[in-house]
Amino acid sequence: MTDDTDPTRRAMLAGGALAAAATTLGTTAARAQDAPAGELAGQIALVTGGARAIGRAIALELARMGADVAILDIADPEAIPGIGYPLASRADLDEAVELVRAEGVRSMAIVADIRDEAALREARAAVEAELGPVDILCPNAAIVTSAAFDEMTGDEWRVAIDVNLNGTANTIRVFMPPMMERGRGRVVVTSSSVARHGSAGNAQYVASKWGVNGLVKSAAAAAASAGVTATAVAPTAVESVRMPEGDALEQANEALSNGGYNAMDIAFLEPVEIGHAVAFLASPRAAFITGEIVDVAAGANIRWTA
Ligand SMILES: NC(=O)c1ccc[n+]([C@@H]2O[C@H](COP(=O)([O-])OP(=O)(O)OC[C@H]3O[C@@H](n4cnc5c(N)ncnc54)[C@H](O)[C@@H]3O)[C@@H](O)[C@H]2O)c1
């Protein structure tokens, strides 16, 4: 199903494989071709939950590497009541699109809820009409909620699973089959380091992200022979609108850094750190990485068994 009109495969053959061959032969001549600038030129990306924070950083990194980027977001602060913080606004979404365009690539805004499969199918048609078929899919939208295990309501459980797991599955089920038909593409999902262990205070979020990891590995299995890879990044705590303030921030800094959770001397990563990892997994340099969950976790991951 693969073809050599695939820009990812072409670049991989011309750059990565040659670089590997050159290294084997004891020369580094081909390594200069690995420079990321323009590496994704001509490719179309779609990032869900891209109006702000991690999703926006992913969109910007892909744009800096030359991809045109459609940004999909629910874009309504009150759209999912009871989660304890506002979702992104239409202004956030429009600003993200403008920042992507400022990188010299095309962009478009799509307002949709990833729980709504029909809306995602309309989104796919809109992106294909305006930018072209999607080469790089970044399902990133999610809600981050917490509740003591024995106090959690059924609604709190259901909405986390519905957005984070069902919504991510909807996104992949709508956008990945056309990639498989075309014989090329990348799916890079935003999971979480909490999908590596349990947690008493946010079982609904943890379980939804463990489900996402299983979904990614299954998508990878389904799409591998069609030339499509599926991976995830698993970030530790990242700066967001949910940051604690004042004393609570100091306590969080203490609890998360220097072996508290992260092994390294940092509590909260910046969104761009996640953008870098996603952009790498979307690039020709990651052509043969699939089914992998990549921790971007400042060493929190040293305690996982594998
Ligand atoms: N911030 C962290 O500490 C952290 C750590 C690990 C993983 N993550 C993951 O990173 C991703 C982004 O999180 P963030 O911290 O940037 O949060 P965020 O709330 O800033 O961004 C999430 C975006 O998704 C959008 N969104 C939410 N529900 C949606 C829906 N149903 N349909 C469409 N859009 C929707 C929101 O409007 C928002 O723009 C999530 O998958 C989250 O689970 C975050």
Side-chain angles (χ1 to χ4, degrees), residues 52-54 73-74 88 113-114 140 191 205 209 236 238 242:
R52 71 182 183 197
I54 293 175
D73 205 285
I74 203 164
D113 185 332
I114 58 168
N140 163 83
S191 183
Y205 180 69
K209 293 292 185 174
T236 185
V238 180
R242 297 171 300 276

Side-chain angles (χ1 to χ4, degrees), residues 145-153 156-157 194-207 210 261:
T145 52
S146 50
F149 194 88
D150 48 354
E151 290 169 12
M152 191 196 317
T153 66
E156 286 173 320
W157 172 267
V194 300
R196 304 296 208 170
H197 55 80
S199 173
N202 53 0
Q204 73 280 44
Y205 180 69
V206 169
W210 274 80
Y261 185 65

Side-chain angles (χ1 to χ4, degrees), residues 160-175:
I161 300 297
D162 207 14
V163 175
N164 300 358
L165 181 54
N166 299 344
T168 303
N170 290 341
T171 309
I172 295 174
R173 286 171 50 248
V174 166
F175 285 93

Side-chain angles (χ1 to χ4, degrees), residues 48-56 72-77 80 83 85-89 92 112-115 139-144 163-164 167 190-194 205 209 233-242 268 271 274:
T48 71
R52 71 182 183 197
I54 293 175
R56 181 187 284 199
L72 182 151
D73 205 285
I74 203 164
D76 175 357
I80 308 179
I83 60 171
Y85 65 93
L87 298 169
S89 64
D92 293 326
D113 185 332
I114 58 168
R115 292 173 295 181
N140 163 83
I143 53 171
V144 185
V163 175
N164 300 358
T190 312
S191 183
S192 171
S193 62
V194 300
Y205 180 69
K209 293 292 185 174
V233 292
T236 185
V238 180
E239 289 174 6
S240 74
V241 295
R242 297 171 300 276
F268 295 92
I274 315 309

Side-chain angles (χ1 to χ4, degrees), residues 1-11 13 135 182-184:
M1 296 278 277
T2 55
D3 71 70
D4 284 353
T5 59
D6 172 357
T8 303
R9 186 173 158 76
R10 264 202 329 265
L13 289 172
D135 302 293
R182 295 167 65 232
R184 65 181 196 244

Side-chain angles (χ1 to χ4, degrees), residues 54 57-58 61-62 270-280:
I54 293 175
I58 292 169
E61 282 306 300
L62 296 174
E270 290 181 29
V272 68
E273 306 294 348
I274 315 309
H276 287 149
V278 171
F280 166 70

